[in-house]
Amino acid sequence: MGRSRATLRRVDRALEASARRTGAGIRRVTGVPAVVDAIVVLTSLADVLLGSVDRTVVEHGASLVAVAALLLRRRFPVLAFVLTVPGLWIGSAVVAPVVTLYVLAARSSRLWLLSAAAMVTFFGYGGFLTPPFEPVQRLVVDALYAALVAVGPLAMGALVRTRSELARRIVELRESRVEEQRQAAIAVAEREHAAADAAVARERAQIAREMHDVVAHQVSLVVVHAGAMTMAAPDELTRGFARTVRGLCVATLHELREMVGVLRASGGTSVDASPQPTLDDLQDLVAASGLPVSSDIDLPRDLPAPVQRAVYRFVQEALTNVRKHAPGARVVLHGTSAQRRLVVTVTNDASSEPAMQLPSSGFGLLGLRERAELLGGSIDATPHADGGYRIRMQLPASHAPAAHRS
């Protein structure tokens, strides 16, 4: 008994391996469109010839037209199906309408079109509307076969179309994830570069302070003493040495001042001259978002530039997140200033459109939170039970960043 089972398992594995090799060979061969067309046309032609017994010239011609229509099924699937209908209804063509119905379902998602094509195939194959009429028992059997012929190609075509759409969306998701990872890597590199620049700037400022407070002070004392020696020296030779020392020290002080100015420049004199966004640009930002936004912003227009930029970037990131994760959702934008604090809130309800949720890196909110903390504020985000979302930013009305307050 054990040997029989082992033999059956070996035979089963051998048959499976053979089927796999055969399937791979068929896929390689059928990957060529000309080969597929030849197989389909020859099969349909054989179906017509074998079923053309006792057929008239018109019926035979309609069947041959249905076979020829197969060559149009890729570029014109609707026309190809229409040309196969006479061959199904009055001729002997069955394979051609089935193939074109499958291609039509694989290319189109219009329900009314597919339903009409299925009904035409069902009645054409079953022959329910043409005499002589069959007994009830035969009619039931014919209806069952006609339903299989009409629904089967539709189901296969819809399956292939759905699989292609899923594959395309998976590719889009993969590309989106790669792009987000690339953007995240760029953001990390920029932060590391900014941190290195900040460290260099701190070191240069410290060196500048040391040169100004220590070296310049000591050289100034030398200048003072050299000047005193010039006045109090007993002979001209000593006074000459004192004047030389004083002149060298004055030149050294001048060079030190220039070096301190260079060090305090912190690595460059380039200035970004591009205009920065303000509260006056919020209206254009909301209009360009393409979202149904109800805006109620009541903030002073004389706020410091860093605060206005922070508000603008906050609203910009919030609207971007709504477009990305809740397309079609209604948005409420609210901003007030009370008790020397600014409060800006962006609230959206649940998405009204089915959308593919794309993965997110989360660096946008992280950057907003860092910007708010530098200004002494905070950001909090809260999801709602109904599927909506609210994000709020609080900032002090003062212009002094938190890191520079005593």
Side-chain angles (χ1 to χ4, degrees):
M1 188 67 177
R3 284 196 296 270
S4 299
R5 290 181 178 176
T7 302
L8 290 175
R9 281 197 294 270
R10 286 196 297 271
V11 172
D12 181 69
R13 284 196 293 268
L15 291 175
E16 183 179 358
S18 177
R20 190 181 301 111
R21 289 192 297 269
T22 303
I26 293 175
R27 282 193 297 272
R28 285 195 297 271
V29 173
T30 56
V32 182
V35 176
V36 177
D37 288 341
I39 294 174
V40 171
V41 170
L42 289 176
T43 303
S44 180
L45 183 61
D47 168 60
V48 169
L49 294 178
L50 293 176
S52 296
V53 181
D54 299 331
R55 294 285 183 177
T56 64
V57 176
V58 175
E59 294 171 347
H60 193 66
S63 300
L64 292 179
V65 169
V67 174
L70 290 174
L71 299 176
L72 304 175
R73 70 188 190 281
R74 288 195 179 92
R75 295 188 62 184
F76 309 102
V78 178
L79 176 62
F81 176 77
V82 171
L83 292 176
T84 61
V85 170
L88 175 66
W89 279 69
I90 65 174
S92 58
V94 176
V95 174
V98 168
V99 172
T100 54
L101 182 60
Y102 160 78
V103 175
L104 186 62
R107 298 294 181 87
S108 175
S109 60
R110 289 174 289 182
L111 183 60
W112 67 269
L113 178 62
L114 299 179
S115 300
M119 294 299 295
V120 170
T121 304
F122 175 79
F123 286 106
Y125 181 83
F128 307 115
L129 303 180
T130 58
F133 298 104
E134 301 289 341
V136 176
Q137 296 84 352
R138 182 67 181 178
L139 192 62
V140 172
V141 175
D142 289 345
L144 178 61
Y145 280 106
L148 292 175
V149 171
V151 176
L154 282 181
M156 291 295 295
L159 179 63
V160 171
R161 176 168 48 82
T162 303
R163 183 180 182 275
S164 300
E165 292 178 355
L166 287 176
R168 177 177 55 81
R169 291 191 178 188
I170 289 174
V171 171
E172 292 177 354
L173 275 173
R174 187 181 297 112
E175 293 176 352
S176 176
R177 184 178 293 275
V178 170
E179 178 63 19
E180 288 203 359
Q181 290 175 350
R182 188 181 71 84
Q183 294 294 339
I186 292 175
V188 171
E190 289 177 350
R191 287 192 181 89
E192 291 178 351
H193 184 69
D197 288 345
V200 171
R202 286 194 298 270
E203 292 296 329
R204 294 169 70 97
Q206 183 177 357
I207 294 173
R209 285 193 298 270
E210 294 295 330
M211 292 180 65
H212 179 270
D213 296 341
V214 178
V215 181
H217 176 69
Q218 299 295 338
V219 175
S220 298
L221 291 179
V222 174
V223 171
V224 172
H225 286 290
M229 185 179 293
T230 302
M231 301 298 297
D235 55 79
E236 184 61 28
L237 180 61
T238 304
R239 287 193 293 271
F241 284 138
R243 283 193 294 269
T244 301
V245 171
R246 187 177 183 278
L248 292 174
C249 290
V250 170
T252 302
L253 277 176
H254 179 71
E255 293 179 359
L256 278 175
R257 291 190 185 96
E258 291 183 353
M259 291 179 64
V260 169
V262 171
L263 288 173
R264 288 193 178 277
S266 299
T269 59
S270 60
V271 178
D272 186 7
S274 59
Q276 296 298 316
T278 63
L279 294 180
D280 295 332
D281 299 317
L282 282 178
Q283 184 176 0
D284 294 337
L285 175 65
V286 171
S289 67
L291 295 170
V293 180
S294 174
S295 179
D296 180 18
I297 299 294
D298 185 16
L299 296 177
R301 298 298 173 178
D302 58 347
L303 289 173
V307 176
Q308 295 195 40
R309 284 198 300 270
V311 173
Y312 182 92
R313 297 304 182 193
F314 169 78
V315 175
Q316 183 182 46
E317 180 65 22
L319 294 179
T320 299
N321 287 339
V322 173
R323 285 199 308 269
K324 184 176 181 181
H325 300 290
R330 291 182 294 108
V331 183
V332 177
L333 175 59
H334 186 68
T336 59
S337 174
Q339 299 179 355
R340 299 188 60 79
R341 292 194 69 82
L342 307 178
V343 179
V344 183
T345 305
V346 179
T347 306
N348 65 275
D349 56 13
S351 175
S352 62
E353 301 176 7
M356 177 175 55
Q357 294 295 328
L358 298 177
S360 175
S361 63
F363 281 95
L365 288 179
L366 179 60
L368 291 179
R369 187 170 285 108
E370 291 175 350
R371 185 189 294 269
E373 290 175 353
L374 286 175
L375 294 173
S378 63
I379 286 181
D380 61 272
T382 307
H384 292 173
D386 60 354
Y389 204 83
R390 188 199 71 175
I391 179 170
R392 180 179 62 183
M393 178 175 67
Q394 299 186 60
L395 293 176
S398 173
H399 66 276
H404 295 167
R405 294 176 185 173
S406 58

